[in-house]
Amino acid sequence: MSGIGKKELRRLVRERISAMTQEEKTVCSESLCRSIKSHLAVCGARIVALFSPLPDEPQIWSLVEELAESRLVALPRVEGDVMRFYCMGEMKQGAFGIMEPQGAICIDPGEIDAIVVPGVAFTLSGKRMGRGKGFYDKYMSHPDFRALKIGVCYPPQLVDELPCEGHDVVMDCVLIK
């Protein structure tokens, strides 16, 4: 995929994900949930930022609910051109059709121990390409942000190289399947 632009790469990866069967997505999502849980246990994360999955992202909702029983779980809410993380609670469909927490308790970026990040494509070295709005890159660039950054993806989302810019934040690790 050398020399290909972000727009074309996003299209190609979407096609690859669409070619996966529902069973393949389910098996991969379950495996990713186990890997995420192991990584969070090893790093001792008490406050974890997760995501509400879109249909083409790893389905981690069962893990979100499980972790909420033993840790403080924060989920993203888009407010204009800014994304903030709030304590999990009542959920409502928000920006871009994503389920967002409606609670008033905003978690400061410096309080988060680990963040699990979706993306369109990743490299094994931790480079990530999102959907193009830069919400996660902006959030993880906050001066107080220090959390372990865990990227998660299906196997077809893994690429050899990505076009990266100075503002793109690199993941500490990428979990695949």
Side-chain angles (χ1 to χ4, degrees), residues 19 32 55 77 91 141 175:
L32 279 169
R77 186 165 82 200
M91 302 294 286
S141 295
L175 304 179

Side-chain angles (χ1 to χ4, degrees), residues 6 9 121-123 126-129 159-164:
K6 286 185 176 185
L9 184 55
F122 290 89
T123 67
K127 291 180 182 176
R128 172 187 170 273
M129 182 176 68
V159 297
D160 293 331
E161 58 183 74
L162 280 173
C164 283

Side-chain angles (χ1 to χ4, degrees), residues 110-146:
E111 296 180 57
I112 295 172
D113 298 312
I115 184 169
V116 179
V117 184
V120 173
F122 290 89
T123 67
L124 282 177
S125 64
K127 291 180 182 176
R128 172 187 170 273
M129 182 176 68
R131 294 182 181 269
K133 301 285 186 188
F135 289 116
Y136 278 94
D137 290 319
K138 288 179 207 170
Y139 189 85
M140 294 183 294
S141 295
H142 188 281
D144 294 336
F145 185 82
R146 58 169 181 73

Side-chain angles (χ1 to χ4, degrees), residues 30-43:
E30 289 171 354
S31 179
L32 279 169
C33 286
R34 288 189 297 275
S35 294
I36 294 166
K37 192 173 170 182
S38 294
H39 273 72
L40 296 177
V42 168
C43 77

Side-chain angles (χ1 to χ4, degrees), residues 12-22 25 56 156:
L12 287 171
V13 171
R14 272 196 303 273
E15 285 178 6
R16 288 177 173 185
I17 294 169
S18 293
M20 292 177 71
T21 66
Q22 188 55 51
K25 290 177 185 176
D56 63 345

Side-chain angles (χ1 to χ4, degrees), residues 49-52 74-88 98-109 112 115 135-136 138-140 142:
L50 296 163
F51 63 93
S52 298
L75 294 168
R77 186 165 82 200
V78 173
E79 300 167 338
D81 64 348
V82 175
M83 180 178 72
R84 293 184 177 90
F85 280 82
Y86 288 84
C87 288
M88 184 177 157
I98 299 168
M99 294 303 290
E100 297 179 336
Q102 298 307 300
I105 302 173
C106 185
I107 305 299
D108 184 78
I112 295 172
I115 184 169
F135 289 116
Y136 278 94
K138 288 179 207 170
Y139 189 85
M140 294 183 294
H142 188 281

